[in-house]
Amino acid sequence: MHEMSIAVAMVEQATEAPAAKGHEKVTAVRLRLGELAGVVADSLRFCFSLACAGTPLDGASLLIDFVPGRARCEPCGAEWATGMPPQLCCPQCEGGRTELVAGRELQITGLRHADGEPPARTAHPASVQAEES
């Protein structure tokens, strides 16, 4: 369950983010989660609630914006939704040289604070880097 290490990293990053400075409590974290990121959203929500306990994020909501997987064929330039499990062969030319253009995202894009500040998106999204355990 690597979602716990991701949740812990999210709490650390949200606590240390410049947007959190001057605020005592974070009430929500907005996350971009790609379809191909290999993260189970329900597990991440559960682990996030545990990781927040006793921190300035205690009781915070996790708002997830899902990003569908997309790929592009290098030879013919076609682009398509990969789906799950991902289809990585080009549906037009059946080529196998593809580039993933979306779907691997795992980024904190915004924080909401208890002082009523709106849930603004951060100017610089922070990718979540979880430690391997």
Side-chain angles (χ1 to χ4, degrees):
M1 179 191 269
H2 69 112
E3 283 81 358
M4 181 55 90
S5 62
I6 293 169
V8 169
M10 289 173 54
V11 170
E12 290 173 356
Q13 291 181 13
T15 303
E16 297 168 0
K21 303 295 183 207
H23 301 280
E24 290 185 23
K25 185 159 177 59
V26 175
T27 60
V29 174
R30 181 171 293 280
L31 179 75
R32 288 186 71 203
L33 179 59
E35 180 180 28
L36 306 174
V39 176
V40 178
D42 288 341
S43 294
L44 182 59
R45 282 190 182 96
F46 175 74
C47 292
F48 180 77
S49 68
L50 295 176
C52 289
T55 73
L57 283 80
D58 202 346
S61 300
L62 178 59
L63 309 172
I64 298 177
D65 297 322
F66 292 98
V67 180
R70 294 207 52 86
R72 179 182 311 124
C73 179
E74 290 183 18
C76 78
E79 214 174 288
W80 67 95
T82 61
M84 265 319 260
Q87 176 190 347
L88 299 177
C89 289
C90 178
Q92 287 190 359
C93 73
E94 299 181 5
R97 290 186 9 224
T98 60
E99 171 190 9
L100 289 175
V101 293
R104 292 182 288 182
E105 295 81 357
L106 183 58
Q107 298 175 313
I108 295 171
T109 58
L111 302 175
R112 180 185 307 156
H113 301 96
D115 58 8
E117 184 174 313
R121 296 178 191 273
T122 61
H124 305 287
S127 296
V128 178
Q129 303 294 323
E131 292 181 20
E132 295 291 325
S133 56

